[in-house]
Amino acid sequence: MKARLPSNEVFTPTAFPRYTYVPRDDLHHERLLREWVRSTSLIASVSGPSKAGKTVLVQRVVGEGNLVSVSGASVRAPDQLWERVLDWLGEPHSTAATHADATTETKTREKGGSLGIAGVGASVRGQSSNATAGTDTLQATSARRGLPQVVDQLANTKLALLVDDFHYIPHAIQSDVAQQLKDAASRGVRICVASVPHRADNVVRALPELRGRVMAIDLEYWSRADLLAIPTAGLPLLDLSIDAAALQTFATEAAGSPQLMQAICLFACNHLGVLETLDAPRAVTLDPEERRRIFFMTSSVVDFRSLVRALVAGPRARAERQAYAHRDGRQGDVYLTVLRAIAMDPPKLVIPRAELEHRLAELAPTKAPDVGNLVRACMSFGQIAAQTYAAPSGPAIEWDDHDQVLVVSDPYLLFYLRWSGHLEREADAVSAPEITTVTPSGT
């Protein structure tokens, strides 16, 4: 009999995908990591864009329950890394050992005699005892031992340490941390560091003597074919079939992120009422409105409200901003208009300035922001994202002034801009006519 599986175990955006893992063997990532596991002192360095599956890849190789993960953003002193590891392992901050010795001493005295009664042979015996007891107690308290204790716990075991976002460890202590990582690896602890692509070599730069001791594994955003392998593996387990056109749209909107593809598939099941394996096979075709509802529901778990509000507001204005009329009857200033252009079809994580100009001309055909205003808006987006709302993996949106391209570093942000309805609500608020209150005469 076929096993009945819950849909949230088949599609798992925030956990290891037991049923829908896609190996991507042609890229040799797993093969390289298996060689790292076999080695005695190599450190693995896995780099890749945000939400590209770095942690899942390492989990796949070392085993789902064998990964000890620590964020570099939580490390502010060299020894704090090992404190975080011991926290993960559930080790107490101190242990107390008590030893007690108990002694008992007993003394017994006996007395005996005969009773001189005529015709009767009788005797009497008396006994008395005295006991004393004592206890000697010794108590010793020992604190955590940092790196040596971690080595005792992890060395030559199946457990592996993943230091995520190494580049967020303060630069002043990166060299000390790298030296300690080298020491731990040489003593049998499996160590992997993960980072975004442009910070991939931070651990080697922090400690140049690590060259030759680090295995570099570079991940890219997933291809459409790799993303489509997720529903191809998962939907048959639920006895569900979704039309190819809808699945292609899912892969396009996931923008290279397997986590986002898992989330979209899960919410598609939710929309269709498929919470576990069906009693009988079912095939569905999703129309554009149904897809829109699925994407809207998915946007609820990629919440970027605070950042998007700040991007829409832009820097503090010294004068009233010009409003641009949009083709759908809405309007907005330069910041809202450029954001709506970023959210237009097709979804792209890297948009050259020339393409942004084309999108703006299409969005605001009467009059669009000029090149100067466009570039200033994009620069402001990068500054706002970096200064106030930067995630551990870096700002979610950046402007590369040298190459004149806008980079949306986090696929979740692009998805939120496209499907949450946030930008449309902002434009509706700007476009709504002001209501003038008329006070009746004589009041």
Side-chain angles (χ1 to χ4, degrees), residues 32 35-37 39-46 178-193 200 203-205 207-217:
L32 288 170
E35 184 59 32
W36 158 67
V37 169
S39 71
T40 55
S41 59
L42 278 176
I43 294 175
S45 175
V46 180
Q179 181 63 57
Q180 293 185 16
L181 291 175
K182 174 178 173 288
D183 183 27
S186 68
R187 295 162 68 180
V189 179
R190 292 192 183 94
I191 294 175
C192 177
V193 296
V203 65
V204 174
R205 291 169 60 188
L207 189 67
E209 62 189 82
L210 278 175
R211 295 190 191 279
R213 298 173 181 265
V214 174
M215 176 182 288
I217 302 166

Side-chain angles (χ1 to χ4, degrees), residues 267 295-303 415-416 420:
F267 276 97
F295 295 147
F296 175 75
M297 289 191 297
T298 306
S299 74
S300 67
V301 297
V302 294
D303 191 356
F415 190 87
Y416 184 84
S420 67

Side-chain angles (χ1 to χ4, degrees), residues 92-293:
H93 287 271
S94 62
T95 56
T98 302
H99 178 73
D101 288 324
T103 58
T104 303
E105 182 179 0
T106 303
K107 294 181 180 180
T108 304
R109 291 182 298 172
E110 292 186 358
K111 293 181 180 180
S114 299
L115 295 177
I117 301 176
V120 178
S123 66
V124 63
R125 182 177 299 276
Q127 179 175 301
S128 65
S129 63
N130 184 29
T132 59
T135 302
D136 294 324
T137 303
L138 296 175
Q139 181 169 319
T141 301
S142 59
R144 285 178 171 179
R145 294 178 292 115
L147 174 57
Q149 187 175 352
V150 170
V151 171
D152 290 344
Q153 295 275 1
L154 300 188
N156 304 311
T157 70
K158 293 182 178 180
L159 296 174
L161 169 61
L162 172 65
V163 183
D164 203 2
D165 297 319
F166 177 88
H167 56 281
Y168 269 83
I169 297 174
H171 183 76
I173 66 169
Q174 283 186 9
S175 179
D176 291 337
V177 172
Q179 181 63 57
Q180 293 185 16
L181 291 175
K182 174 178 173 288
D183 183 27
S186 68
R187 295 162 68 180
V189 179
R190 292 192 183 94
I191 294 175
C192 177
V193 296
S195 59
V196 290
H198 59 287
R199 302 290 180 86
D201 63 345
N202 270 36
V203 65
V204 174
R205 291 169 60 188
L207 189 67
E209 62 189 82
L210 278 175
R211 295 190 191 279
R213 298 173 181 265
V214 174
M215 176 182 288
I217 302 166
D218 300 325
L219 276 65
E220 301 292 340
Y221 280 122
W222 285 35
S223 68
R224 185 189 299 265
D226 287 335
L227 291 172
L228 286 171
I230 293 174
T232 298
L235 292 175
L237 298 176
L238 300 170
D239 273 337
L240 177 65
S241 174
I242 295 178
D243 66 289
L247 295 181
Q248 288 283 348
T249 305
F250 290 1
T252 299
E253 295 298 338
S257 169
Q259 291 182 23
L260 187 48
M261 187 65 169
Q262 292 272 359
I264 294 170
C265 290
L266 180 59
F267 276 97
C269 292
N270 180 283
H271 171 73
L272 295 169
V274 180
L275 304 183
E276 61 178 11
T277 304
L278 295 168
D279 294 325
R282 176 182 171 192
V284 298
T285 299
L286 298 172
D287 62 35
E289 177 58 24
E290 287 181 298
R291 298 176 200 173
R292 187 195 66 78
R293 291 177 185 174

Side-chain angles (χ1 to χ4, degrees), residues 15-35:
F16 183 80
R18 178 182 174 188
Y19 298 102
T20 51
Y21 180 83
V22 179
R24 303 204 295 166
D25 292 330
D26 58 317
L27 300 178
H28 308 298
H29 297 147
E30 289 188 24
R31 185 179 302 176
L32 288 170
L33 280 175
R34 288 194 185 98
E35 184 59 32

